[in-house]
Every structure is written in C-alpha cells, then in structure tokens.
Amino acid sequence: MICKDCQPAILDLLLDPAAPANADVRAHIESCPACTQEFKSMQATFALLDTWQAPDPSPYFDQKLAVRLREEQTLAPAGWFEQLKSRLLFNTGRQFRPALAGGLALILLVGGGTYANLTGFPHPVPQTSAAVQDLQILDKNDQALQTMDQLLQDDAPADDSTTQPSS
C-alpha cells in the first residue's frame, strides 16, 4: 500500500480497529515509520478529545434568553432603511433569485440584440439606378454652369462702347 492511500484510511482504523477492511492499513502502518508516527499522533489527538469536557451552560440561560427576546419584540420597529439593511445582511437571498434571473436574462437579450445588430446581420446598402445617377450628375453640371454664367456676367464691363445707348 502507498502512504498517500494509507493517510485517509488511518481515521477509519482509529474509529473501528477490528474491521477486516483495515487489515491492509494495519500491515502498512507496521512496515512504514512515517505512517506509524501519523497513526500515533492521531491516537493522541483522539485521546485528548475524549478527556475534554464541555462546560455546562449557565443555570439561568433560558430565562435570560426569554427576557432578551421579549425586549427585542417590544422595541419600536426600525425604519425602512434599517429593515432593508437587516434583510440584506441576515437572509439567504432566496427572494432575490427570480429578480436576479430576470435581470440577467434582460441583459443577455439586450446585449445579444445589440451584438447581432452590429455584427451579425449586414444591412443592405440602398442601390440607385443608373438613370438616377445620370440625373444627379446632370443636376450637378447644371448648377456648375449656372454658377459660371453668374461669374461671367459679373465680370462684364458696365460701359461698353460697342453697345448702343437706348433712348
């Protein structure tokens, strides 16, 4: 038997030394000095625990406890903040589990929807037809021509000798 397999079985040997399942452990302890030392240490610990006596409770423990309970029951109720604080500090949290599960589900839905909207589904780019593109080009050219005409009209001299005065 290997020492690391023997270590957990030492407690079984201490609790029931006459059990036939402990024969291998007894044989290993007799041949291994480290396991023998461990066994003797556990025996000493168990012997010390057998001699220990628990102290007796106070003779008036029950009466004192009943008085303190009555005092706590007659106290004015705490404010809503103190009640909330004590509920959070001294409970198991079972009443918060459904709310926590709902909140996490909501976070997953919103996060998953946002992620799917950003990366998962490509949005189609609106396609314009060739006719629309040609009309847009002509409109830009027309605007450029009008701008050029205005610039050329502003550059013309106001008194030109070749023009006839109108009467």
Side-chain angles (χ1 to χ4, degrees):
M1 180 177 255
I2 303 171
C3 290
K4 77 174 185 180
D5 293 337
C6 182
Q7 296 294 332
I10 289 177
L11 290 175
D12 294 335
L13 181 65
L14 282 170
L15 295 174
D16 191 12
N22 295 330
D24 292 337
V25 178
R26 270 188 256 123
H28 178 76
I29 286 177
E30 290 173 4
S31 65
C32 179
C35 291
T36 303
Q37 177 64 29
E38 181 73 21
F39 179 71
K40 287 181 181 179
S41 171
M42 289 287 204
Q43 273 184 330
T45 303
F46 270 64
L48 184 63
L49 286 174
D50 287 339
T51 62
W52 182 72
Q53 299 254 335
D56 291 331
S58 169
Y60 299 108
F61 176 78
D62 292 334
Q63 289 84 3
K64 289 179 182 179
L65 180 64
V67 168
R68 289 189 65 190
L69 285 174
R70 280 194 299 271
E71 287 175 358
E72 287 294 323
Q73 288 173 345
T74 59
L75 286 177
W80 67 271
F81 183 72
E82 291 297 323
Q83 289 176 349
L84 180 64
K85 181 180 172 185
S86 65
R87 183 172 290 166
L88 290 174
L89 288 176
F90 302 119
N91 72 355
T92 60
R94 297 190 108 175
Q95 69 270 17
F96 295 119
R97 289 180 185 170
L100 183 63
L104 288 175
L106 182 65
I107 289 170
L108 283 174
L109 284 173
V110 169
T114 303
Y115 181 75
N117 191 23
L118 294 177
T119 60
F121 303 107
H123 298 290
V125 178
Q127 297 291 327
T128 56
S129 67
V132 172
Q133 289 178 353
D134 290 342
L135 288 173
Q136 288 174 347
I137 291 171
L138 286 174
D139 188 37
K140 288 179 186 175
N141 287 343
D142 187 41
Q143 290 175 356
L145 290 173
Q146 286 177 357
T147 305
M148 289 301 291
D149 285 342
Q150 287 177 353
L151 289 174
L152 289 174
Q153 285 178 359
D154 290 341
D155 287 341
D159 54 1
D160 192 9
S161 59
T162 59
T163 59
Q164 305 259 341
S166 60
S167 26

